[in-house]
Amino acid sequence: MIDFLKEWLMKPKEVKPVQPRMTDNELMVRLKVFIGVCLALTLIGIVFVVLYSIMFVTQPLNAISPIDAKFFELIIPIATFLTGTLSGIMLAGTGENAALAGSNASKAAAAPKPVAPPPPPPVKKEPVMDVIDEDGIG
């Protein structure tokens, strides 16, 4: 029994991957979905907090409280930024080139620049002198 356990413990284990590795395109799509979901949840949270503060928090009769005014000053640019970012992510192309645009751009930037051959040396041209014959024709 001990020999069997020793043999079983010493036997090399083969670990097989559960899923094959994802391609760059699949990873970019998953990243887009994750970022989109996070931004959408943040934007939805902001909208509900603003709506709650407007509807259920007691305000002065003729104006909004100064703290809420500052709160809205802070929230409006954040919500605008999140809406723009979310729409940019969702409207970005879905093809492989669009999904890998950043990766391709970084690869292109890191690639060595091709060296142009040096220009050929200038050719010296000798001035042509017209010789006039005795009869005046060149």
Side-chain angles (χ1 to χ4, degrees), residues 6-15:
K6 282 183 184 178
E7 183 181 324
W8 182 73
L9 289 173
M10 296 300 213
K11 181 180 173 183
K13 306 279 190 277
E14 289 184 28
V15 179

Side-chain angles (χ1 to χ4, degrees), residues 44-55 71-72 75-76:
I44 290 169
I46 288 174
V47 168
F48 280 117
V49 166
V50 168
L51 289 176
Y52 177 82
S53 68
I54 290 173
M55 288 191 286
F71 174 72
F72 289 133
I75 290 297
I76 288 171

Side-chain angles (χ1 to χ4, degrees), residues 77-100:
I78 293 173
T80 305
F81 170 74
L82 286 175
T83 304
T85 305
L86 188 59
S87 64
I89 289 173
M90 294 302 128
L91 291 176
T94 57
E96 182 175 339
N97 291 337
L100 300 176

Side-chain angles (χ1 to χ4, degrees), residues 11-25:
K11 181 180 173 183
K13 306 279 190 277
E14 289 184 28
V15 179
K16 295 181 181 177
V18 177
Q19 295 178 340
R21 293 189 71 148
M22 286 187 275
T23 63
D24 288 344
N25 195 19

